[in-house]
Amino acid sequence: ILNVEQSPQSLHVQEGDSTNFTCSFPSSNFYALHWYRWETAKSPEALFVMTLNGDEKKKGRISATLNTKEGYSYLYIKGSQPEDSATYLCASLSGSARQLTFGSGTQLTVLP
Amino acid sequence: GAVVSQHPSWVICKSGTSVKIECRSLDFQATTMFWYRQFPKKSLMLMATSNEGSKATYEQGVEKDKFLINHASLTLSTLTVTSAHPEDSSFYICSARDSFGWGNSPLHFGNGTRLTVT
């Protein structure tokens, strides 16, 4: 992996469903992995900053895991609500990058 | 806390004119600010890193004479798109890091600026 890649690009889930999406990043020279939530017409808001392999962080119904050896992070949302609808961005500081490199985001729509 | 204000939210200008976008950290000091450009359905592309009191560091392929960045104080950075052309139409967004943070500290973003050059 040379760039930061996120999948899926978009998804729709029903209210109450749990969901997860993936961020892949260069595993070499890893320093940090960030997750942001970006709601329409607002600024991206930081969810998690993760630095340790195997780390798991949680904020309410949202949690994230990190595997720095294989270069991926999962973001989980339990019991999705319409207010969770947003684009979720990940960014890594790893590989040959000198600054955070962002993925294209996963656009989540939670249907009531 | 950690609010970043970016103005204007949108701007329409004629080809050949210059446009200035401001990014202010309202309740913290930002020694480093970042300017990004986003194309439709693409990721945030870092244009330059702006350090207070010094010249900005531009990413490869970004014309420094085209995109002038000034970071005159710990709370204000400006991006000026000079002699704008239709291909400069895009979404520009800034972010800031507080004085004591680095890659393991979250970025604080502005709301972005939608630039349309006619």
Side-chain angles (χ1 to χ4, degrees):
Chain A
I1 295 286
L2 297 179
N3 297 312
V4 179
E5 298 173 1
Q6 291 187 248
S7 63
Q9 187 174 32
S10 65
L11 76 160
H12 292 70
V13 301
Q14 287 294 138
E15 182 176 356
D17 287 351
S18 295
T19 187
N20 65 85
F21 20 94
T22 307
C23 172
S24 301
F25 53 88
S27 57
S28 62
N29 302 319
F30 176 82
Y31 189 84
L33 188 284
H34 293 215
W35 280 102
Y36 294 86
R37 175 170 59 202
W38 194 356
E39 295 179 65
T40 303
K42 295 185 178 181
S43 57
E45 171 195 358
L47 289 173
F48 306 112
V49 176
M50 309 173 81
T51 58
L52 300 176
N53 183 45
D55 202 5
E56 181 171 343
K57 295 209 171 184
K58 188 175 181 180
K59 181 184 287 188
R61 294 179 290 100
I62 304 177
S63 61
T65 60
L66 178 66
N67 183 321
T68 63
K69 296 187 186 304
E70 296 182 45
Y72 64 84
S73 174
Y74 293 134
L75 189 78
Y76 300 90
I77 302 179
K78 184 177 178 182
S80 303
Q81 299 297 310
E83 57 265 30
D84 296 328
S85 297
T87 296
Y88 291 82
L89 298 175
C90 74
S92 80
L93 184 55
S94 63
S96 57
R98 296 177 293 109
Q99 299 290 356
L100 281 172
T101 302
F102 282 82
S104 299
T106 292
Q107 185 175 13
L108 173 67
T109 303
V110 181
L111 304 170
Chain B
V3 175
V4 174
S5 175
Q6 182 173 345
H7 292 283
S9 298
W10 58 270
V11 57
I12 301 172
C13 70
K14 290 188 176 181
S15 187
T17 60
S18 295
V19 174
K20 180 185 283 188
I21 303 170
E22 289 190 350
C23 182
R24 292 180 184 272
S25 59
L26 298 185
D27 50 3
F28 68 100
Q29 294 183 332
T31 54
T32 306
M33 289 186 173
F34 304 92
W35 287 96
Y36 303 85
R37 181 174 180 175
Q38 186 183 36
F39 294 98
K41 298 189 183 299
K42 298 293 185 182
S43 59
L44 297 177
M45 183 191 76
L46 181 64
M47 299 174 65
T49 301
S50 165
N51 294 295
E52 184 264 339
S54 63
K55 291 184 179 180
T57 302
Y58 289 82
E59 296 299 303
Q60 190 173 10
V62 178
E63 299 177 59
K64 62 180 180 180
D65 294 330
K66 173 75 171 177
F67 299 99
L68 298 179
I69 291 173
N70 183 276
H71 193 162
S73 75
L74 283 172
T75 59
L76 174 64
S77 178
T78 59
L79 167 67
T80 302
V81 183
T82 62
S83 187
H85 291 284
E87 57 265 30
D88 298 324
S89 298
S90 192
F91 183 79
Y92 296 86
I93 190 168
C94 67
S95 70
R97 197 166 56 202
D98 64 39
S99 302
F100 304 104
W102 198 60
N104 56 353
S105 294
L107 297 178
H108 308 294
F109 284 87
N111 278 6
T113 299
R114 173 71 59 188
L115 170 64
T116 302
V117 184
T118 60

